Amino acid sequence: RWCSMEALRYHPVPLTLQRAALFFSGESGVRYSIGGLSLSLDDMEHAILRGSPEGDARSFAADDLARRALVVPRDEVDPRLHFALNCGARSCPPIKLYSASNLEIGLALAAQAFCESEVQVKVAEKTVTLSKILMWYGGDFAPKNDKAALLTKICGYLSPEGTMATDLNLLLQAPEEIELVFRDYDWSRNDA
């Protein structure tokens, strides 16, 4: 999170997906030396924290043992990290501070706050509108293309007393009828 914000002080705001790819991959010059290793923002988020899924171009090479030693095993990845990471774009989750002592409660609160502000449930239309983050990284939350599992996971992040969780549970009684809509991602800079 800090690295993204610092990089935005010196590099143009990535307003398109193509510019964002260059920015995060390190091809724009945004790289950090950590423990003697050169890491891009993609390296930190995808290769290390997400354990880059099989076939992901952002994975470390098999012979890159020093960097591979940093990778969180795929089965230990906590998908709530997507509600804590911030690239500086308006559609990103808000910036919060995390430490070892507050990580669990911090991630739980970040997941709840993000889902309650970014998920929209329309029972009559049988639609659920989600952030593009949940389209791009849905496989971190549930098996790929399993709409019911993804929405069930999201429902678990919502306040159980809230109407959104109630409405989503109602729609989940017939998940095949639910239409998922993914909100456009706003890459403009979030100066908040």
Side-chain angles (χ1 to χ4, degrees), residues 103-150:
L103 187 59
E104 181 56 38
I105 189 72
L107 289 174
L109 290 171
Q112 182 176 357
F114 186 81
C115 289
E116 289 183 354
S117 68
E118 294 294 322
V119 175
Q120 183 180 34
V121 180
K122 293 184 178 176
V123 176
E125 291 89 350
K126 299 180 182 177
T127 63
V128 179
T129 303
L130 304 171
S131 164
K132 274 262 171 66
I133 290 172
L134 293 161
M135 180 183 83
W136 294 328
Y137 306 115
D140 289 356
F141 293 89
K144 196 170 179 96
N145 300 319
D146 188 336
K147 177 174 36 179
L150 175 62

Side-chain angles (χ1 to χ4, degrees), residues 38 71 84 111 119 140 143 145 149 157 166:
S38 176
V71 174
V119 175
D140 289 356
N145 300 319
Y157 297 139
T166 302

Side-chain angles (χ1 to χ4, degrees), residues 15-145:
L15 295 174
T16 66
L17 193 53
Q18 293 77 18
R19 283 183 57 194
L22 293 173
F23 180 80
F24 296 113
S25 71
E27 291 181 44
S28 66
V30 176
R31 297 191 78 75
Y32 292 88
S33 179
I34 300 174
L37 300 171
S38 176
L39 299 171
S40 70
L41 296 170
D42 272 350
D43 290 340
M44 290 182 246
E45 178 179 355
H46 301 290
I48 296 171
L49 295 175
R50 292 184 60 231
S52 286
E54 198 67 34
D56 190 323
R58 297 167 294 200
S59 301
F60 295 136
D63 62 351
D64 190 350
L65 301 180
R67 295 191 320 163
R68 286 183 74 81
L70 302 172
V71 174
V72 173
R74 191 77 184 127
D75 60 347
E76 295 177 25
V77 170
D78 188 332
R80 298 176 302 172
L81 71 89
H82 296 292
F83 308 129
L85 296 176
N86 182 301
C87 70
R90 285 199 189 281
S91 289
C92 281
I95 296 173
K96 302 287 183 201
L97 295 176
Y98 299 93
S99 68
S101 64
N102 78 3
L103 187 59
E104 181 56 38
I105 189 72
L107 289 174
L109 290 171
Q112 182 176 357
F114 186 81
C115 289
E116 289 183 354
S117 68
E118 294 294 322
V119 175
Q120 183 180 34
V121 180
K122 293 184 178 176
V123 176
E125 291 89 350
K126 299 180 182 177
T127 63
V128 179
T129 303
L130 304 171
S131 164
K132 274 262 171 66
I133 290 172
L134 293 161
M135 180 183 83
W136 294 328
Y137 306 115
D140 289 356
F141 293 89
K144 196 170 179 96
N145 300 319

